[in-house]
C-alpha cells in the first residue's frame, strides 16, 4: 500500500512537546515528507525555549497546552482534534517519521484500533541504560498483570483510530499515559498490533524529560491504580494474602503455646492476629464485590466504544469492496442503487 492510498483519509500527526526547540523542526519536516496529506499539530506544553517558533516555521499547527504533563497534553489533543487516524510521536527526534505510513498500513490491514511502534536499540537513548532496564521490568510486570498483547508499553510512537481516541478515558497526567492506553486496550480486548522500528538518539544538547526514579515510581503507582480499577479481585486478593500471612505469623506461636500448656499467655498478640484475620477476610470480600463493579464499568466502556462509528479506512482500500457493502445480503440495494435503476 502506497502513501496515495491514504489520500481520502483524514490523518492527524500529534506531537506533544516541552522544550524541544532543537529537534522539533526536523521532526515536523520528516512527518510532512512521510505523510504529505496529514495535518501536523505541535502541542507546546509551556516550553521556555523556541519550540513553538521552530514548529510554526516548519509548517505545523502550534497549539498551547497549559496543564503541565504529557498525559494532560494527550487528553487535550484527543479532545481537540477530529480525524480518521491519529499518529502520536515525541518531538525529540528519536522516533522515525518514515515508519508512520507502515503503522497506518498495519492499522488498516489488521483492522486494529491501535498500533504501537516498538523500539529497537532503546539502550542508546542518550546512553541511559537505566531506562532500558526499567522498560524490561515494567513490561514483564504488565504481562503478568494485564496480558501479553504488548512488548513495549512505554513507546510514545502510536497510531490510533478515531474510535480509540474518542473513547479513551485518559486520567493520567504524565508519562504514565502510554501505560494507561495499553491497559485500556487490554481491558476492552481491543484489536491491537505492533510495528518494530529503530529507536534513534537524541540530538546533541537535547535532554530527556523522563526521570528514571521519579517517573518510574509514578508509572508503578499508575499500574497499581489501574490494577485496582480494572482487576480488583486480583488486587485485593494479593493484599488479603499478605494480611493473612501476617496473621498466621502472629498466631502460630500462640497456638503452639496453647497446645503445650493449655493456656493463652499472649492475649494482645492473639487479638491482633484475629483482627488481621478478619481484615484479610473483609479485604477478600471487598475484592469479590468490586470485581462485579469493575465488570459493569468495563461493559459501559465497551458500549461507549461501540457507539463510535468505526473509522479504520474500510471504504478507502483501493480495489476492494467497502466492508459494509460486503456484509449486505444478496439482493439488497442501497438508496443510490435504487435511484439509478429508476433513472434507467
Amino acid at each position: 500500500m502506497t502513501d496515495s492510498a491514504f489520500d481520502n483519509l483524514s490523518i492527524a500527526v500529534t506531537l506533544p512537546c516541552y522544550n524541544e526547540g532543537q529537534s522539533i523542526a526536523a521532526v515536523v519536516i520528516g512527518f510532512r515528507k512521510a505523510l504529505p496529506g496529514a495535518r501536523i499539530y505541535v502541542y507546546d506544553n509551556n516550553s521556555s525555549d523556541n519550540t513553538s517558533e521552530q514548529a510554526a516555521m516548519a509548517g505545523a499547527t502550534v497549539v498551547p497546552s497549559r496543564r503541565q504533563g504529557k498525559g494532560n497534553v494527550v487528553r487535550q489533543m484527543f479532545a481537540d482534534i477530529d480525524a480518521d487516524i491519529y499518529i502520536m510521536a515525541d518531538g525529540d527526534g528519536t522516533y522515525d517519521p518514515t515508519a508512520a505510513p507502515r503503522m497506518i498500513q498495519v492499522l488498516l490491514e489488521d483492522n486494529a484500533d491501535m498500533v504501537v511502534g516498538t523500539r529497537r536499540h532503546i539502550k542508546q537513548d542518550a546512553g541511559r541504560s537505566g531506562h532500558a532496564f526499567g522498560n524490561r521490568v515494567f513490561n514483564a510486570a504488565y504481562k503478568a498483570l494485564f496480558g501479553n498483547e504488548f512488548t513495549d508499553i512505554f513507546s510514545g510512537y502510536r497510531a490510533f483510530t478515531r474510535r480509540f481516541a474518542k473513547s479513551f478515558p485518559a486520567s493520567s497526567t504524565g508519562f504514565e499515559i502510554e501505560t494507561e492506553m495499553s491497559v485500556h486496550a487490554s481491558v476492552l480486548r481491543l484489536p491491537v498490533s505492533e510495528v518494530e522500528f529503530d529507536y534513534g538518539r537524541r540530538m546533541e544538547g537535547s535532554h530527556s524529560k523522563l526521570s528514571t526514579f521519579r517517573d518510574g515510581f509514578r508509572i508503578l503507582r499508575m499500574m497499581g491504580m489501574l490494577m485496582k480499577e480494572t482487576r480488583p479481585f486480583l488486587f485485593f486478593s494479593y493484599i488479603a494474602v499478605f494480611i493473612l500471612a501476617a496473621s498466621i505469623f502472629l498466631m502460630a506461636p500462640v497456638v503452639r503455646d496453647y497446645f503445650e500448656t493449655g493456656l493463652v499467655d499472649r492475649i494482645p498478640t492473639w487479638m491482633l492476629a484475629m483482627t488481621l484475620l478478619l481484615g484479610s477476610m473483609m479485604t477478600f470480600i471487598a475484592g469479590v464485590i468490586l470485581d462485579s463493579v469493575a465488570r459493569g464499568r468495563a461493559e459501559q466502556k465497551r458500549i461507549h466504544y461501540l457507539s463510535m462509528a468505526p473509522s479504520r479506512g474500510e471504504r478507502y482500500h483501493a480495489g476492494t469492496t467497502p466492508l459494509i457493502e460486503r456484509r449486505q445480503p444478496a439482493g439488497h440495494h442501497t438508496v443510490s442503487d435504487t435511484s439509478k435503476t429508476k433513472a434507467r
Side-chain angles (χ1 to χ4, degrees), residues 49 288 295:
D49 63 359
V288 173
R295 289 177 183 272

Side-chain angles (χ1 to χ4, degrees), residues 26-320:
V27 173
V28 171
I29 293 172
F31 276 105
R32 189 164 296 284
K33 290 181 179 178
L35 297 170
R39 295 170 291 160
I40 301 178
Y41 297 89
V42 171
Y43 275 69
D44 186 0
N45 195 204
N46 302 314
S47 297
S48 58
D49 63 359
N50 61 344
T51 296
S52 294
E53 292 80 2
Q54 291 294 322
M57 290 175 60
T61 300
V62 179
V63 181
S65 183
R66 300 306 180 197
R67 287 187 178 273
Q68 197 67 39
K70 186 175 181 179
N72 291 322
V73 178
V74 171
R75 183 162 45 250
Q76 181 180 346
M77 290 190 311
F78 284 172
D80 289 349
I81 301 170
D82 194 13
D84 292 325
I85 293 176
Y86 300 73
I87 297 289
M88 185 182 78
D90 292 341
D92 56 11
T94 55
Y95 295 132
D96 182 11
T98 61
R102 186 156 59 99
M103 293 174 67
I104 296 176
Q105 180 179 348
V106 172
L107 190 79
L108 301 179
E109 291 180 348
D110 291 358
N111 271 358
D113 278 309
M114 179 171 65
V115 172
V116 180
T118 60
R119 299 167 290 178
R120 287 192 294 259
H121 311 310
I122 191 173
K123 289 184 179 180
Q124 297 178 6
D125 178 19
R128 302 184 71 175
S129 59
H131 290 180
F133 175 76
N135 192 59
R136 290 194 299 270
V137 171
F138 280 113
N139 275 293
Y142 184 94
K143 290 180 181 180
L145 296 176
F146 300 105
N148 58 357
E149 294 93 348
F150 302 101
T151 59
D152 189 1
I153 61 170
F154 294 152
S155 174
Y157 200 8
R158 304 186 180 219
F160 313 94
T161 60
R162 181 182 183 276
R163 174 179 270 182
F164 184 98
K166 296 302 182 182
S167 67
F168 173 54
S171 61
S172 305
T173 59
F175 287 104
E176 62 270 27
I177 187 67
E178 287 90 359
T179 303
E180 187 180 5
M181 289 176 176
S182 302
V183 172
H184 177 67
S186 295
V187 170
L188 296 188
R189 295 179 175 82
L190 304 183
V192 296
S193 297
E194 292 186 332
V195 171
E196 192 176 41
F197 68 97
D198 289 329
Y199 188 52
R201 292 180 62 91
R202 285 177 168 270
M203 292 186 178
E204 187 175 353
S206 176
H207 302 285
S208 173
K209 314 306 184 297
L210 181 66
S211 171
T212 302
F213 296 103
R214 182 195 63 201
D215 290 305
F217 174 76
R218 293 179 63 178
I219 292 168
L220 182 63
R221 182 180 62 185
M222 171 58 66
M223 291 182 69
M225 188 273 290
L226 291 173
M227 183 183 176
K228 176 179 72 70
E229 295 295 323
T230 61
R231 304 192 66 186
F233 179 77
L234 186 62
F235 179 84
F236 286 100
S237 293
Y238 284 153
I239 297 177
V241 169
F242 177 79
I243 298 175
L244 178 62
S247 174
I248 294 174
F249 177 78
L250 295 172
M251 188 187 306
V254 180
V255 173
R256 182 194 61 203
D257 292 344
Y258 173 78
F259 281 112
E260 290 178 354
T261 65
L263 300 174
V264 177
D265 294 328
R266 290 180 281 186
I267 297 296
T269 303
W270 180 255
M271 293 179 62
L272 178 59
M274 289 297 99
T275 301
L276 290 175
L277 179 62
L278 291 174
S280 174
M281 295 171 60
M282 293 176 63
T283 302
F284 180 78
I285 294 172
V288 173
I289 296 173
L290 291 176
D291 186 67
S292 298
V293 176
R295 289 177 183 272
R297 292 182 59 192
E299 289 176 359
Q300 291 178 349
K301 290 181 181 179
R302 180 74 183 180
I303 292 172
H304 177 62
Y305 160 81
L306 292 174
S307 69
M308 301 287 175
S311 182
R312 298 191 184 98
E314 290 92 340
R315 62 186 183 279
Y316 302 121
H317 281 286
T320 62

